[in-house]
Every structure is written in structure tokens, then in C-alpha cells.
Amino acid sequence: MSVIERIQTEVESHPIVLFMKGTAQFPMCGFSSRAVQALKAAGATSLHTVNVLEDPEIRANLPRYSNWPTFPQLFIHGELIGGCDITLELYESGELARMISETQSQ
């Protein structure tokens, strides 16, 4: 399986996926930490994270897959939502909670 196929499998196998530096329990950068905090505060209980620091192939190829250059990267229902700034903006507007609620009720 190619690395792009592995990324696609992660994105399609979980309703909420955050590709980040570190884990939800131990983020390794401030942007990843803030994204996790926003997701948890918005009600995400089924958050699946992928530590890009543990897999250099995913770290190198995810920007090609998503056409998004930075980490973290949030996907909901297979769709790229964006990085930390967009996740925080969606949280502050209440939109992230709505998206998560719809995801977890399915």
C-alpha cells in the first residue's frame, strides 16, 4: 500500500482525524495542542489522531495529499477542514461543535 493510500485509509476510516505533531495526550507543538483543545471543547469524543513525527512518509506526503502545507491538519468525514487557525475560528463561531455533533450522531 502506498503512503497516499495509507493516508486516504486513515481519513476514510474515522469520522474525525487530526494529523498532528504528537498525540492528543501529549502534543509536541503548540498548534497541535490548541487544535486538540478546541476539538475536545467542541465535544469531540471520537477523535482519531495520527502522529506525523512517528511516520516520516506521512509527514512528507500529507501536504501533497491534502494540498495543505502545515500541521496539524483536521479532516471531518474525509474532507480537509484546515489547520489550527481554521479549527480555532470554527470553534469560536460554534461551527466546529455543530460539525462534530453531526459527525458523532451518525
Side-chain angles (χ1 to χ4, degrees):
M1 178 182 294
S2 76
V3 67
I4 296 296
E5 291 170 328
R6 288 192 299 136
I7 292 168
Q8 187 164 358
T9 298
E10 291 285 350
V11 167
E12 292 175 350
S13 298
H14 307 280
I16 303 170
V17 180
L18 183 65
F19 290 88
M20 61 180 287
K21 293 178 180 177
T23 66
Q25 297 75 26
F26 192 70
M28 301 291 286
C29 84
F31 296 113
S32 292
S33 178
R34 294 192 67 199
V36 169
Q37 288 173 346
L39 286 161
K40 287 182 177 180
T45 58
S46 61
L47 174 61
H48 177 74
T49 61
V50 177
N51 183 352
V52 299
L53 298 176
E54 289 183 345
D55 192 326
E57 288 184 333
I58 287 180
R59 185 172 61 250
N61 286 282
L62 184 62
R64 224 179 63 211
Y65 173 83
S66 64
N67 200 29
W68 193 268
T70 60
F71 300 104
Q73 293 187 21
L74 174 64
F75 290 80
I76 297 180
H77 282 298
E79 181 182 340
L80 174 68
I81 302 304
C84 178
D85 290 344
I86 291 172
T87 300
L88 292 174
E89 286 179 25
L90 289 171
Y91 170 71
E92 290 171 3
S93 73
E95 186 68 13
L96 187 61
R98 184 195 61 77
M99 295 167 78
I100 289 171
S101 175
E102 288 176 2
T103 297
Q104 295 181 152
S105 66
Q106 293 179 356

